[in-house]
Amino acid sequence: YGSATKFRDFLSSSASLLNHEQKICILLNLCDSLMADGEVAPEEESLFSLFLNAWGVSEDEVKPYMQMIIRKNDHSVLQSHADA
């Protein structure tokens, strides 16, 4: 469905097809993917904002989860312990 549908059409139609929990699940998976390399490019941040706005989810709602994803992806804490 996603590949056969234009992006803006997908955002619009999925807003009414998904329930709130499903939206949060997808947003967190998207966030995790965007943050996996340790940096979020401006284009990635814009994409995430498009999803938030289209789905009526506030950044404040997902911010605590985003902080946990940042911690999960911070592998430097493992390296510093290995050196000790």
Side-chain angles (χ1 to χ4, degrees):
Y1 175 79
S3 62
T5 308
K6 292 182 182 179
F7 179 69
R8 297 278 180 180
D9 293 339
F10 169 77
L11 282 179
S12 177
S13 64
S14 62
S16 62
L17 294 173
L18 300 171
N19 66 37
H20 189 72
E21 291 80 17
Q22 291 169 327
K23 292 173 187 175
I24 296 297
C25 179
I26 293 168
L27 286 167
L28 294 177
N29 278 282
L30 177 59
C31 181
D32 193 21
S33 295
L34 298 178
M35 294 181 168
D37 64 357
E39 295 182 32
V40 179
E43 300 84 13
E44 294 171 327
E45 192 171 339
S46 294
L47 175 69
F48 193 73
S49 291
L50 285 173
F51 274 93
L52 288 175
N53 292 331
W55 289 352
V57 177
S58 73
E59 189 172 334
D60 287 340
E61 183 176 359
V62 295
K63 195 172 203 169
Y65 302 112
M66 292 169 66
Q67 294 300 320
M68 295 305 293
I69 292 169
I70 290 168
R71 283 189 175 199
K72 178 192 81 74
N73 290 335
D74 182 8
H75 298 145
S76 69
V77 297
L78 300 174
Q79 294 169 349
S80 64
H81 289 222
D83 296 337

